[in-house]
Amino acid sequence: MQAVAFLFSLVCLHFLQDACGHDAQVAKRYTVNLDVEPEKRWVHVAKDYTAFIPELRDALLHYLPKDLLGVAEIVGAALDSYIPQPYAREMKGLSSAFNISLGETVLLNIAYDISAFCTSIVAQTENGTIIHGRNLDYSMASFLRNITVVVDFQSKGKTVYTGTTYVGYVGLLTGQRPNTFTVSLDERNKGAWWMNLIAAVAEGARFTSFLLRDTLAQDGITFSAAVSKLANTPVIAPSYLTVGGVGPNEGAVITRGRTHAVDVWYLNVSDNRYSFDLSSNTMPGTPSSLIN
């Protein structure tokens, strides 16, 4: 009997002493039509959140390194040279809809790669069902709760993949492709923010959140192909990628360096190695990062 993978997007955005689940609220759900021009895809979402933009700008400038806005403005001035399509065009559409600079829009889209602490888990039940859960931990979480959304990315009227994200961010930290695989991104404590930016700009690395979308969007992709692509595509920053599938033992935690995977841990219930894998922000195998 084929197991069904499903993603618990437990976006437990807690602020300082707030406990996970405190002030819980249901995220709004939107459809993004992949068949329209990229500049127009997010406009209907942006219109619902325009009032939050001044507060979001202030929060980013407060929590992120002061020099980062200048770097983001440089990237924004030559967006097509640094950001791959269709994401550069989607960001241009958001910049126009929010009436903010391209540099500020870039800032929204690189914030995760330099500052976040998150946890993901993939598990298998006795009947072979794969369960994948995660949380998101940010210092400015009390605000991000208000702009967290669930997005169904559709083409020709059908959902190709679904993700949980926050408004203004065109990448994904959490996503699922129906009846195929689920994936979540967690920060790995390795590399200063300026090193991550240099990697993206100078070395042609991709933002990891864009890689998630690319992988989720790929026609005919399988769990094993998704793990391979997520493990071997150069990215802006070290990270942990947790992947769940639809069959027995289809669970993996990928420890990413910037150019390739340092390690890939797989579920292996038949060998009684792991009943579940839990990735945090340090190297798998250490008590704080992986429980099995």
Side-chain angles (χ1 to χ4, degrees):
M1 179 178 179
Q2 186 183 46
V4 178
F6 57 102
L7 185 64
F8 287 117
S9 182
L10 304 177
V11 188
C12 299
L13 298 166
H14 61 81
F15 181 67
L16 297 179
Q17 72 272 20
D18 284 0
C20 181
H22 180 66
D23 294 332
Q25 58 193 63
V26 177
K28 291 184 179 180
R29 195 174 195 117
Y30 291 89
T31 296
V32 165
N33 186 354
L34 298 173
D35 299 324
V36 304
E37 293 295 314
E39 291 87 349
K40 299 177 181 178
R41 291 175 182 173
W42 296 92
V43 172
H44 63 297
V45 182
K47 286 182 178 179
D48 288 348
Y49 291 88
T50 302
F52 288 95
I53 292 305
E55 186 178 354
L56 177 58
R57 183 193 291 113
D58 291 344
L60 290 173
L61 294 177
H62 176 74
Y63 287 107
L64 299 180
K66 303 301 181 186
D67 296 335
L68 189 56
L69 180 57
V71 176
E73 292 289 1
I74 292 172
V75 175
L79 194 64
D80 292 332
S81 298
Y82 297 125
I83 304 296
Q85 300 298 350
Y87 309 113
R89 293 177 63 186
E90 290 185 5
M91 289 166 69
K92 289 178 181 178
L94 281 167
S95 176
S96 177
F98 284 142
N99 193 27
I100 59 177
S101 71
L102 280 173
E104 290 172 319
T105 307
V106 169
L107 195 63
L108 289 176
N109 284 272
I110 62 178
Y112 178 82
D113 292 274
I114 62 172
S115 178
F117 298 93
C118 307
T119 300
S120 291
I121 184 171
V122 61
Q124 180 171 317
T125 65
E126 290 184 356
N127 68 3
T129 299
I130 302 296
I131 302 172
H132 184 173
R134 68 93 36 82
N135 75 344
L136 290 173
D137 306 329
Y138 286 93
S139 296
M140 51 185 174
S142 59
F143 172 74
L144 290 179
R145 289 191 191 99
N146 297 321
I147 60 171
T148 299
V149 293
V150 177
V151 179
D152 294 314
F153 294 84
Q154 295 189 350
S155 178
K156 298 179 176 60
K158 295 184 178 180
T159 297
V160 180
Y161 57 98
T162 298
T164 301
T165 187
Y166 58 89
V167 176
Y169 192 76
V170 301
L172 285 179
L173 307 178
T174 310
Q176 61 177 341
R177 186 176 177 93
N179 300 312
T180 308
F181 74 97
T182 59
V183 60
S184 58
L185 167 63
D186 298 305
E187 190 229 20
R188 181 180 172 210
N189 290 337
K190 190 173 180 65
W193 69 267
W194 56 269
M195 292 175 63
N196 297 337
L197 285 180
I198 289 173
V201 174
E203 301 171 15
R206 295 182 78 77
F207 289 88
T208 314
S209 57
F210 296 166
L211 174 60
L212 262 65
R213 271 190 65 180
D214 290 345
T215 307
L216 288 161
Q218 184 174 322
D219 289 337
I221 197 166
T222 62
F223 167 81
S224 59
V227 171
S228 178
K229 182 170 184 173
L230 292 166
N232 296 302
T233 305
V235 291
I236 182 177
S239 62
Y240 294 108
L241 297 169
T242 303
V243 189
V246 296
N249 294 321
E250 287 192 343
V253 176
I254 306 168
T255 303
R256 279 302 315 255
R258 291 192 183 89
T259 60
H260 61 279
V262 176
D263 188 33
V264 181
W265 289 53
Y266 286 96
L267 284 172
N268 192 339
V269 176
S270 61
D271 193 32
N272 201 30
R273 278 200 304 159
Y274 312 118
S275 56
F276 64 88
D277 288 349
L278 184 147
S279 67
S280 187
N281 305 114
T282 53
M283 186 71 181
T286 62
S288 63
S289 65
L290 186 69
I291 303 173
N292 58 66

